[in-house]
Amino acid sequence: MKILMVLTSHDRMGDTGHATGFWLEEFVAPYYVFKDAGAELTLASPQGGQPPIDPTSTQPDALTEETRRFEADSEAKAQLANTRKLSEVRADDYDAVFYPGGHGPLWDLTQDRHSQQLIHDFLVARKPVAAVCHAPAVLVHAQGPDGQSVVKGHRVTGFSNSEEDAVGLTDVVPLLVEDALKEKGGHYERGDADFDAFQLRDGLLITGQNPASSAPTAKLLLDALKG
């Protein structure tokens, strides 16, 4: 299995002066699900090189068994520091793609034409596309083979409006994931409680709601690859 993981290069939280990026757990939990399953991983980002880690995701209350494993994993850290430029990767070379979240993707990957083309090409080739938390926003402007948003008519999830409100960023982010998915015709679903794991698969699209959904979403992607 060859899996591409696409991370944000955006490091500023709007005009607040605060830093953002990708959410560490949402990268490392899937990374190790894939790695432990024997997958060959390639990491990419719009600018290449070291993508920004949201500093909030490295605070003690956000750390997990997987983040601690990553801290001791020099090979994984070196791979993260040297992501490929997104414009240089092709869907033909991989079996699936996974987008970790964090707020960063709302600013860059959601609008990135290389990302949109990549998602289109994976789906045309009948290869699964997965995204977790804020990253399902990368799907809304990507077009499927029919020229419509890839989420139209599909069951999808992502960071909910109430979760965004709970972290106090509703008026900061450029879009609300839940609203954006609905506006493009997605059938948005969510878990019973904020921040509980919730993930689903509808055909080739696999989405997770929040950080707790990261590993389960990655496992759904593995299931899709195994048929």
Side-chain angles (χ1 to χ4, degrees):
M1 293 180 293
K2 293 184 177 181
I3 300 175
L4 176 66
M5 299 185 76
V6 180
L7 298 126
T8 182
S9 292
H10 186 84
D11 65 358
R12 292 285 103 190
M13 186 75 79
D15 298 324
T16 64
H18 295 297
T20 190
F22 71 89
W23 196 261
L24 185 60
E25 180 188 22
E26 295 172 26
F27 164 63
V28 297
Y31 179 91
Y32 288 118
V33 167
F34 300 146
K35 203 78 172 173
D36 293 346
E40 180 182 329
L41 298 177
T42 298
L43 310 183
S45 62
Q47 294 180 20
Q50 173 72 54
I53 301 173
D54 189 315
T56 307
S57 71
T58 65
Q59 297 302 305
D61 62 348
L63 300 182
T64 65
E65 181 180 338
E66 289 84 5
T67 63
R68 285 184 278 271
R69 178 179 175 184
F70 175 74
E71 273 306 309
D73 189 340
S74 57
E75 181 181 342
K77 291 165 92 171
Q79 189 176 13
L80 179 64
N82 293 279
T83 66
R84 295 185 60 186
K85 281 192 174 181
L86 190 56
S87 59
E88 298 173 354
V89 297
R90 301 287 180 270
D92 290 347
D93 297 327
Y94 306 97
D95 300 308
V97 62
F98 188 99
Y99 286 79
H103 284 90
L106 298 182
W107 276 274
D108 64 353
L109 287 172
T110 300
Q111 305 295 335
D112 190 283
R113 63 183 180 85
H114 297 297
S115 176
Q116 293 167 15
Q117 186 64 50
L118 196 67
I119 292 166
H120 172 84
D121 292 346
F122 269 98
L123 295 176
V124 167
R126 306 297 300 165
K127 297 175 181 180
V129 174
V132 68
C133 199
H134 287 87
V138 307
L139 303 172
V140 298
H141 297 304
Q143 295 182 352
D146 60 359
Q148 302 287 330
S149 169
V150 300
V151 304
K152 186 176 182 180
H154 289 278
R155 298 169 60 223
V156 287
T157 190
F159 208 58
S160 68
N161 289 353
S162 58
E163 287 170 324
E164 200 68 80
D165 189 56
V167 299
L169 293 169
T170 299
D171 296 328
V172 174
V173 293
L175 61 87
L176 294 171
V177 178
E178 177 180 338
D179 287 351
L181 292 171
K182 290 176 178 177
E183 287 165 6
K184 290 295 184 177
H187 300 310
Y188 180 83
E189 300 179 24
R190 53 157 297 156
D192 293 333
D194 285 351
F195 304 106
D196 283 353
F198 181 79
Q199 56 285 325
L200 54 82
R201 174 186 173 190
D202 187 346
L204 295 170
L205 288 184
I206 298 161
T207 48
Q209 182 178 330
N210 48 39
S213 314
S214 301
T217 302
K219 290 172 184 174
L220 280 182
L221 181 58
L222 287 183
D223 290 343
L225 287 173
K226 294 172 183 175

